[in-house]
Amino acid sequence: YNKKFAYDVNIGGATYFENNRDTNEIWFGLSPRVRFNDKLLVIFSFDYNKDYSDRGYTSTIDDTIIFGERDRKTIENSISANYTFNSFHGLSLSFRNYWSTVDYKNNLFTLQENGRVYQNSPYQISDLEDNPNINYNTWNLDLNYSWQFAPGSFLTALYRNQLFNNDNASTDSYGGSLKTLFNQPIQNTFSLRIQYFIDYSSLKKAFMKKSST
């Protein structure tokens, strides 16, 4: 990581060896980083995860617990950047976009007392009161300035904006979901924090000296 350019890569997969189940999972991640100089470092991360025919809880109907088979997809993009002016002043940027969809198949299962699911359940998606499909998308950006004005004491200024959307459009593409996300009201936050370190031993000595005088 001391080199000007470096990267991390991970890839993998998983499967369930179980009768009447065809659940598989794949994932991939890439994270390049560029150290422009001793002051500026930028890291980008991309992660992709896909579950095929996964099983999850949907709802309860007349004390019957209903499970469904679903495909789940998750894409996460993030950027972090740090610029150090000197040992007392620093600026950091953090960005994250997280998108996840859950798309249920029509046929549902009922949970049995032994923990297994009954495959020939009479229930279907249309029988549920609420649509279990999910399209979840978030955007977070933080810009942070930190100044160490005394030993152990900091002044921190933070600007943050956020976007959030959660609906049932599980078949939307990444671009379509992002367009819907940008139509949501943006939340802007600015905060200022002062953290001052008090050396108790020095303070105690000062009071004792003043008292004796």
Side-chain angles (χ1 to χ4, degrees):
Y1 289 150
N2 288 328
K3 295 182 178 180
K4 180 161 292 195
F5 175 77
Y7 62 90
D8 295 311
V9 178
N10 71 83
I11 186 170
T15 188
Y16 286 80
F17 296 97
E18 183 179 341
N19 292 334
N20 301 317
R21 187 167 184 175
D22 190 23
T23 301
N24 299 288
E25 180 183 5
I26 60 171
W27 61 83
F28 170 77
L30 174 64
S31 180
R33 58 177 61 207
V34 181
R35 185 180 297 277
F36 292 92
N37 48 49
D38 291 338
K39 296 180 178 294
L40 178 60
L41 171 66
V42 178
I43 303 173
F44 169 74
S45 294
F46 170 82
D47 290 288
Y48 174 88
N49 185 281
K50 183 67 180 285
D51 291 285
Y52 297 92
S53 301
D54 186 25
R55 291 178 182 175
Y57 170 81
T58 61
S59 63
T60 301
I61 302 177
D62 298 329
D63 295 330
T64 299
I65 299 176
I66 309 299
F67 269 64
E69 198 165 76
R70 61 196 185 178
D71 292 336
R72 180 179 179 183
K73 178 169 56 180
T74 301
I75 294 178
E76 182 177 356
N77 290 285
S78 64
I79 298 174
S80 64
N82 294 281
Y83 188 87
T84 304
F85 297 95
N86 51 49
S87 57
F88 302 103
H89 298 268
L91 188 67
S92 64
L93 172 70
S94 177
F95 162 77
R96 178 176 179 262
N97 175 227
Y98 177 89
W99 176 56
S100 184
T101 62
V102 177
D103 188 30
Y104 279 88
K105 300 177 182 179
N106 189 45
N107 294 326
L108 301 176
F109 310 135
T110 54
L111 184 64
Q112 302 178 84
E113 291 185 0
N114 63 0
R116 298 287 181 176
V117 293
Y118 181 62
Q119 303 264 348
N120 299 319
S121 169
Y123 298 106
Q124 294 186 339
I125 290 290
S126 57
D127 297 320
L128 302 180
E129 184 176 348
D130 297 318
N131 188 344
N133 294 328
I134 298 172
N135 177 13
Y136 179 87
N137 206 333
T138 62
W139 162 296
N140 297 278
L141 187 146
D142 291 357
L143 183 62
N144 185 84
Y145 169 75
S146 179
W147 169 36
Q148 183 177 233
F149 58 89
S153 303
F154 296 88
L155 173 66
T156 304
L158 171 68
Y159 167 72
R160 170 178 295 167
N161 69 40
Q162 296 175 300
L163 285 169
F164 169 79
N165 182 61
N166 186 24
D167 55 36
N168 302 118
S170 59
T171 58
D172 269 6
S173 65
Y174 178 74
S177 179
L178 204 60
K179 184 178 179 180
T180 303
L181 179 67
F182 287 148
N183 289 330
Q184 306 306 309
I186 190 170
Q187 300 177 17
N188 295 289
T189 305
F190 180 78
S191 64
L192 190 65
R193 185 181 70 179
I194 297 177
Q195 176 183 327
Y196 189 78
F197 173 73
I198 298 177
D199 188 344
Y200 175 75
S201 59
S202 299
L203 193 64
K204 183 179 179 181
K205 290 178 181 178
F207 275 110
M208 290 177 63
K209 184 177 180 182
K210 184 177 179 181
S211 177
S212 62
T213 302

